[in-house]
Amino acid sequence: MKLFSLLFICLVSTLSFAQSKLAKTAINKLNEQLKVYETLSPHGDLYHYKDLKLSKIELLVFEGTDEVVNDSIESYAAISIIQDKISKLLNTVFIIKSVEEFNLKNQLYSNINYIKSEDNKLHNLTLHAKSGGSYQSSLSYIYYKKNEEYIKVFETYDEDENSVFNADGYYSIDTISSREGTKYLLIGSVRTCGMCFYDYVSLVYFKDGYFNQEFNFSVESRSYDSKIFYNPSEFALSVFYETDDLNYHECSCKETNNEEDVDYEEDIKEKQCSCLFIFNGLTFELTNQCSEAVIEKE
């Protein structure tokens, strides 16, 4: 009996060591591709396949196209193929549960942002999309631990019109317990032009194999400053912003504003706006209507 117990302990230790080694290898391969990705620019010229750490076999996918010039490929093709490799490696990292072997925040290369929920179930990774325009889009990858396995529930380029997730990802995840189970408050933002900023927040939950959206709010403005704040101790969601042409010069705590409501013949006075939403056990409800204060022009 003692011998059997000893053999069992040795087997478990060996498997654990092998799993840890496999997890670390997957992370190292991912970081290698992230470092390659950092060197790429949508405005770049040609990239040699060796600099991209690609094999000639991997280049065959572009055979007969304009993307390949001798042993080099065009910038947008290089970005696309490295993005695809990063996506597949992220799947591997989560399939073999590297996230449970290591703290990914301390393991991943610096050009990818990683956040996770307090219950360690919902994970979001975001990476600059290198789209080349003034819209500073991101690639977002979202994984969720269902039972004991991780499933990918969202990827930007796989986005469908019914998705509850924003294509540009998030910078914070808060976990909220409710009468219906665990819900997640997701907050993000994206620069949509030189001086255009879009901030958004959603409350989502997983049920019957899918994520559902309970609440969402967004605001567009010319201000770079953060506009959406969550206080977990008071379950309070606050929004602050100044009016301008992107939000039709109106304070509103509704999901959308209507440009038809604006009378441009009047002398438009910009305002400071605020909204307060409180979690009621199921969703966030507006408790303090949008307040307005005219911004005095100097």
Side-chain angles (χ1 to χ4, degrees):
M1 187 65 181
K2 289 183 178 180
L3 179 59
F4 176 79
S5 298
L6 183 60
L7 288 173
F8 179 76
I9 292 173
C10 289
L11 178 61
V12 170
S13 298
T14 301
L15 290 174
S16 177
F17 175 76
Q19 174 74 11
S20 180
K21 186 176 180 180
L22 187 62
K24 185 61 178 175
T25 299
I27 291 173
N28 287 341
K29 288 183 177 180
L30 173 60
N31 283 335
E32 183 178 81
Q33 293 303 316
L34 289 172
K35 290 176 182 177
V36 171
Y37 189 70
E38 187 177 50
T39 67
L40 305 181
S41 168
H43 307 295
D45 196 3
L46 298 172
Y47 292 94
H48 195 273
Y49 77 93
K50 288 185 178 180
D51 295 329
L52 300 174
K53 300 187 184 299
L54 299 176
S55 66
K56 287 198 172 183
I57 294 177
E58 288 176 301
L59 283 182
L60 291 178
V61 69
F62 298 105
E63 189 173 14
T65 69
D66 295 333
E67 283 89 352
V68 176
V69 180
N70 296 324
D71 289 335
S72 300
I73 62 177
E74 297 283 356
S75 59
Y76 59 88
I79 290 170
S80 176
I81 195 170
I82 299 302
Q83 286 176 347
D84 184 62
K85 294 184 76 170
I86 288 172
S87 176
K88 290 176 179 177
L89 284 166
L90 279 172
N91 288 341
T92 301
V93 164
F94 278 88
I95 287 171
I96 64 177
K97 300 182 180 180
S98 300
V99 68
E100 296 184 2
E101 292 286 336
F102 303 98
N103 180 354
L104 288 187
K105 198 169 187 65
N106 299 328
Q107 294 289 325
L108 295 178
Y109 191 60
S110 58
N111 62 339
I112 191 167
N113 184 59
Y114 168 66
I115 57 174
K116 64 178 181 177
S117 59
E118 189 178 358
D119 61 2
N120 295 317
K121 285 191 172 184
L122 190 63
H123 304 252
N124 183 209
L125 303 99
T126 52
L127 184 69
H128 194 288
K130 296 182 183 286
S131 54
S134 59
Y135 191 120
Q136 299 296 300
S137 58
S138 294
L139 300 178
S140 177
Y141 310 87
I142 300 179
Y143 293 85
Y144 180 71
K145 188 175 184 181
K146 180 185 177 184
N147 299 324
E148 293 303 315
E149 303 298 326
Y150 289 95
I151 58 174
K152 183 169 69 176
V153 294
F154 181 85
E155 181 175 340
T156 297
Y157 288 156
D158 294 337
E159 180 188 8
D160 66 72
E161 59 183 17
N162 297 317
S163 176
V164 301
F165 298 108
N166 188 283
D168 292 295
Y170 305 91
Y171 58 76
S172 73
I173 300 176
D174 281 277
T175 306
I176 301 175
S177 297
S178 76
R179 298 195 296 270
E180 296 179 332
T182 301
K183 298 185 178 183
Y184 303 98
L185 187 69
L186 313 174
I187 303 177
S189 65
V190 60
R191 189 175 199 155
T192 58
C193 76
M195 284 301 295
C196 313
F197 303 91
Y198 180 66
D199 294 71
Y200 46 89
V201 56
S202 295
L203 183 68
V204 302
Y205 63 96
F206 190 79
K207 185 178 181 181
D208 298 330
Y210 298 94
F211 267 94
N212 303 272
Q213 187 178 80
E214 192 77 68
F215 167 89
N216 76 92
F217 185 84
S218 61
V219 58
E220 290 184 89
S221 79
R222 298 288 183 185
S223 172
Y224 175 82
D225 296 334
S226 297
K227 303 164 193 69
I228 302 175
F229 306 89
Y230 178 62
N231 183 340
S233 62
E234 298 181 2
F235 298 98
L237 185 65
S238 302
V239 181
F240 303 96
Y241 67 98
E242 295 181 0
T243 58
D244 53 46
D245 60 307
L246 292 183
N247 47 57
Y248 308 127
H249 306 281
E250 288 295 324
C251 289
S252 176
C253 296
K254 299 182 296 183
E255 286 189 24
T256 59
N257 259 337
N258 192 344
E259 187 174 13
E260 295 177 358
D261 296 335
V262 182
D263 185 356
Y264 286 100
E265 294 183 0
E266 293 184 359
D267 181 23
I268 296 175
K269 296 182 178 180
E270 305 299 4
K271 314 173 190 71
Q272 292 179 331
C273 311
S274 65
C275 308
L276 178 64
F277 302 89
I278 299 294
F279 186 69
N280 62 11
L282 292 176
T283 187
F284 283 90
E285 62 179 359
L286 183 65
T287 61
N288 187 0
Q289 289 291 335
C290 198
S291 62
E292 303 181 3
V294 175
I295 301 173
E296 299 293 340
K297 296 182 179 179
E298 295 182 359

Coordinates of all heavy atoms in Angstrom, one line a residue, residues 9 42 63 88 96 115 141 189 191:
I9 N 2.1 9.3 -6.0 CA 2.7 10.7 -5.7 C 3.7 11.0 -6.8 O 3.7 12.2 -7.3 CB 3.3 10.7 -4.3 CG1 2.2 10.6 -3.2 CG2 4.1 12.1 -4.1 CD1 2.7 10.5 -1.8
P42 N 2.0 49.2 -40.1 CA 1.1 49.2 -41.3 C 1.7 50.1 -42.4 O 1.3 50.0 -43.5 CB -0.2 49.7 -40.7 CG 0.1 50.5 -39.5 CD 1.3 49.8 -38.9
E63 N 1.5 32.4 -51.9 CA 2.0 32.1 -53.2 C 1.0 32.5 -54.3 O -0.2 32.3 -54.2 CB 2.3 30.6 -53.3 CG 3.1 30.2 -54.6 CD 3.5 28.7 -54.6 OE1 3.0 28.0 -53.7 OE2 4.3 28.4 -55.4
K88 N -3.8 31.9 -32.3 CA -3.7 30.4 -32.1 C -2.9 30.1 -30.9 O -3.2 29.2 -30.1 CB -3.0 29.8 -33.4 CG -3.9 29.8 -34.6 CD -3.3 29.3 -35.8 CE -4.2 29.3 -37.0 NZ -3.5 28.8 -38.3
I96 N -4.4 24.6 -22.4 CA -3.6 23.8 -21.5 C -3.5 24.5 -20.1 O -2.7 24.1 -19.3 CB -2.1 23.6 -22.1 CG1 -1.4 24.9 -22.2 CG2 -2.2 22.9 -23.4 CD1 0.0 24.8 -22.7
I115 N -6.2 41.5 -18.5 CA -7.0 41.7 -17.2 C -7.9 40.5 -17.0 O -8.2 39.8 -18.0 CB -7.9 43.0 -17.3 CG1 -8.8 42.9 -18.5 CG2 -7.0 44.2 -17.3 CD1 -9.8 44.1 -18.5
Y141 N -9.4 39.6 -27.2 CA -9.6 38.2 -27.1 C -10.2 37.9 -25.7 O -9.6 38.4 -24.7 CB -8.3 37.4 -27.2 CG -7.5 37.8 -28.4 CD1 -6.6 38.8 -28.4 CD2 -7.6 37.1 -29.6 CE1 -5.8 39.2 -29.5 CE2 -6.9 37.4 -30.7 CZ -6.0 38.5 -30.7 OH -5.2 38.8 -31.8
S189 N -12.4 52.0 -23.5 CA -12.4 53.2 -24.3 C -11.5 53.0 -25.5 O -10.7 52.1 -25.6 CB -11.9 54.4 -23.5 OG -10.6 54.2 -23.1
R191 N -9.8 55.5 -29.0 CA -9.6 56.8 -29.7 C -10.1 56.5 -31.1 O -9.5 55.7 -31.9 CB -8.2 57.2 -29.7 CG -7.9 58.6 -30.2 CD -6.5 59.0 -30.0 NE -6.3 60.4 -30.1 CZ -5.2 61.0 -29.5 NH1 -4.4 60.3 -28.8 NH2 -5.1 62.3 -29.7

